Amino acid sequence: MNKRKVRFVAAVRLVFLLLVLASTFAYAMFQGGTVSWSVFYIVLPFVSYSLALYFYPLSQITVERNIRTPNVENGSKVVVDLTLNRKSRFPLLYTVVLERWMSEKMSETASRNSKKLFIFGFKKQLQWQYEVENMLRGEHVLEGVTIEVSDFFGWIQKTVFIEQKQKILVFPKITDIHYVPVNTQYDRGSLESPLAIIKDTTMVAGVRDYQAGDRVTWIHWKSFARTQSLMTKEFEDRRSQDLFVVMDGKSSFAFEEQVELAASLLTEATRHQENLSFLTTGEKPVLFSHIQSEEQLRSSLVHLAKIQPSTPNGSNGMVDLGSTMQHFGTVLLITGDPDRKLIESMLLNATNRKSIICFVVKKYDGDKWSEIEKNIKFAETKGVTMQVLKREAFLHAFKEVTRG
């Protein structure tokens, strides 16, 4: 029905244009004289151009798009270059170019900058750059470009949509965090330490006599050349902490801040080469095990860029992950609404309650926060370390925990 309406409007405009031409010609024929024919000859060029524009194929215009800021964080801007090309030099006057975004939120945000009026003229190519400020986290899709042209008086208006889909992924904002290893206390009993001792092969502390089972790469060849006896390098031991970061995926007022804190913790822990795993709870829990490489970190950040909050009444996604959590010494839980269901699930799955550290992201005060404070006190009575953080305090998140 929409296409039929467009075609009907175009037909009406064409009929109107022909009536203008016919009426001025009839006036000149019957009236005669210089004035009447002057009116006809004045109108004739405008009508002729409008008729030519009516039959001009806009479909021959092609669009090239170049996103100059491929890595965009939440709240930053994206810069897009558009290039319009065509084969002929038919003069185009008023040309409106509009970049169309799929999501309504982005359409409203980008509508001011992604639309512009040009005088195309006789040029075959038209270049345009626009910026969109305050990009929202998520995956945004550019559908294509709408081009609308008009004649001198708006008698003929033509519109064409050139489809060219392209995705822009806006990552959560990364905050630099001062990383401090978490000193987890343990109850009596035989528990696996969260600090794994690994060899740092870049730091040689000394040499010793060769023993069966030593790696060939550890042999100190310089001493062998001097003494003709095999010696093995000794390396400094480096402690690597096992961390299990869990982000509560249900809807809350501070959900965006939760995502930002989770992304920042993952980035900082990966820089310090910790034994790290990451879980987002919700209707469809997603687990990233043993994040060590940049590629694995990027996969988790891509997930955080796309994640959307689940309903509060949905599954917390942690009921069946008890065996997974038992292999990690320290559990860092990030939430904006630590309800009883979430706390009880954590207590059920964790091997040691003192190894649980819960970051509660605070955004607003009010009645809802009063209820959250009750849940915080309940968790503390169960032996869980609760840490309330505002966005401006993310920088010292680890420091506050070790201080507490």
Side-chain angles (χ1 to χ4, degrees), residues 84-98:
L84 277 63
N85 298 289
R86 59 183 186 138
K87 297 178 180 179
S88 67
R89 292 188 179 274
F90 179 84
L92 295 177
L93 296 176
Y94 308 115
T95 306
V96 177
V97 181
L98 171 63

Side-chain angles (χ1 to χ4, degrees), residues 31-86:
Q31 185 69 22
T34 305
V35 176
S36 57
W37 281 106
S38 297
V39 172
F40 173 73
Y41 287 124
I42 291 174
V43 173
L44 182 60
F46 295 101
V47 174
S48 301
Y49 174 78
S50 299
L51 288 173
L53 179 62
Y54 180 84
F55 293 102
Y56 176 77
L58 291 180
S59 57
Q60 69 171 226
I61 300 177
T62 59
V63 176
E64 297 177 5
R65 184 193 298 114
N66 178 32
I67 299 175
R68 302 188 62 182
T69 49
N71 296 321
V72 186
E73 288 188 354
N74 184 27
S76 61
K77 68 179 179 180
V78 64
V79 181
V80 180
D81 288 337
L82 284 178
T83 303
L84 277 63
N85 298 289
R86 59 183 186 138

Side-chain angles (χ1 to χ4, degrees), residues 191-249:
L191 288 176
E192 183 180 355
S193 172
L195 296 176
I197 305 300
I198 63 175
K199 295 289 184 182
D200 190 346
T201 57
T202 62
M203 302 293 292
V204 179
V207 294
R208 58 172 173 79
D209 292 335
Y210 177 82
Q211 297 178 359
D214 288 345
R215 298 181 183 178
V216 177
T217 56
W218 292 358
I219 296 176
H220 195 266
W221 295 107
K222 291 183 178 180
S223 62
F224 175 75
R226 293 195 308 267
T227 63
Q228 297 299 313
S229 60
L230 291 176
M231 304 293 289
T232 302
K233 302 174 186 176
E234 281 192 325
F235 305 101
E236 290 187 358
D237 293 333
R238 181 169 57 86
R239 286 185 152 189
S240 176
Q241 187 170 20
D242 290 339
L243 293 178
F244 189 29
V245 180
V246 181
M247 195 194 84
D248 184 10

